[in-house]
Amino acid sequence: MRLFVSVDLPNDLAEPVADLQTEFAEASGLNFTDAEQAHLTLKFLGEVAEDRLPTLSRELRAAVDEAAVSPFTVRFDGLGVFPDLEYISVVWLGTEAGGAELTRLHEAVEERTTAMGFEEESHDFTPHVTLARMEHAGGKELIQELVREREPAVGEMRVDEIRLTESTLTEDGPEYATVERFPLE
């Protein structure tokens, strides 16, 4: 199973995310994510054997307990890119509020999953929703301009759980399914 740990955006934010993506429609070279499946990834786990699920579930539940994060609000605002504006691989929507709580959750999940043998993240955690991946630099200048000049306010959501999510790769792009939910207390 190809798994990751996420905070999924509610259905009412799909349209504002899709509207924001249309602002980049003229930029060639972008492969847009499905706004209906928009999420914040706390930890990408990769391929996981099914027999590891009970232990993983127990460790994720412990991570949520250790993070000691109560339900909170995330406000989505601002644009960014990875790794930088000169070499763009990902265009993303950032968070204005809720970043500290998301970071605490990420750190707890990271500690528990790396102790299980999952690969440690090689970069600092930046809470974000991926809008598009860049396949070639044809639209680089437009992307740079939009990221520098636009401060879109997309909306907000209440976070009361994290999810273990399965990603199945298809010809039409990835399809996501919730494996388990871990409520914040």
Side-chain angles (χ1 to χ4, degrees):
M1 302 175 74
R2 187 170 186 261
L3 301 175
F4 62 93
V5 181
S6 66
V7 171
D8 295 3
L9 273 62
N11 292 337
D12 64 336
L13 287 181
E15 188 174 332
V17 168
D19 290 346
L20 179 57
Q21 288 173 318
T22 62
E23 294 188 36
F24 291 89
E26 300 289 317
S28 68
L30 286 180
N31 183 14
F32 293 98
T33 58
D34 181 350
E36 306 229 344
Q37 298 189 103
H39 62 273
L40 292 126
T41 300
L42 295 175
K43 172 75 176 172
F44 181 75
L45 299 168
E47 293 295 332
V48 179
E50 211 166 319
D51 63 355
R52 293 188 78 191
L53 284 179
T55 303
L56 179 58
S57 176
R58 187 175 56 250
E59 293 300 313
L60 291 176
R61 194 168 288 110
V64 167
D65 290 345
E66 287 169 4
V69 173
S70 298
F72 62 99
T73 298
V74 173
R75 189 166 42 258
F76 298 97
D77 192 3
L79 296 168
V81 297
F82 291 133
D84 59 53
L85 280 170
E86 286 309 308
Y87 179 80
I88 301 167
S89 63
V90 172
V91 179
W92 49 262
L93 169 65
T95 61
E96 180 183 308
E101 292 88 345
L102 289 165
T103 299
R104 278 209 329 264
L105 287 165
H106 159 76
E107 289 169 349
V109 167
E110 178 75 6
E111 184 177 323
R112 286 286 181 159
T113 56
T114 55
M116 287 181 66
F118 289 98
E119 195 170 317
E120 187 174 352
E121 291 292 336
S122 59
H123 51 79
D124 290 338
F125 178 70
T126 301
H128 70 280
V129 175
T130 298
L131 298 174
R133 289 179 174 75
M134 192 153 196
E135 295 178 346
H136 64 77
K140 178 178 167 181
E141 291 80 17
L142 176 58
I143 295 166
Q144 290 170 327
E145 179 183 323
L146 287 169
V147 168
R148 285 186 183 119
E149 295 179 8
R150 287 279 286 125
E151 286 290 329
V154 170
E156 61 183 42
M157 68 175 283
R158 188 86 174 142
V159 176
D160 57 9
E161 68 180 12
I162 67 171
R163 297 181 186 187
L164 179 60
T165 304
E166 182 178 12
S167 172
T168 304
L169 301 178
T170 71
E171 286 185 15
D172 297 325
E175 292 180 1
Y176 303 133
T178 299
V179 175
E180 191 169 352
R181 299 168 192 263
F182 302 91
L184 304 181
E185 301 293 327

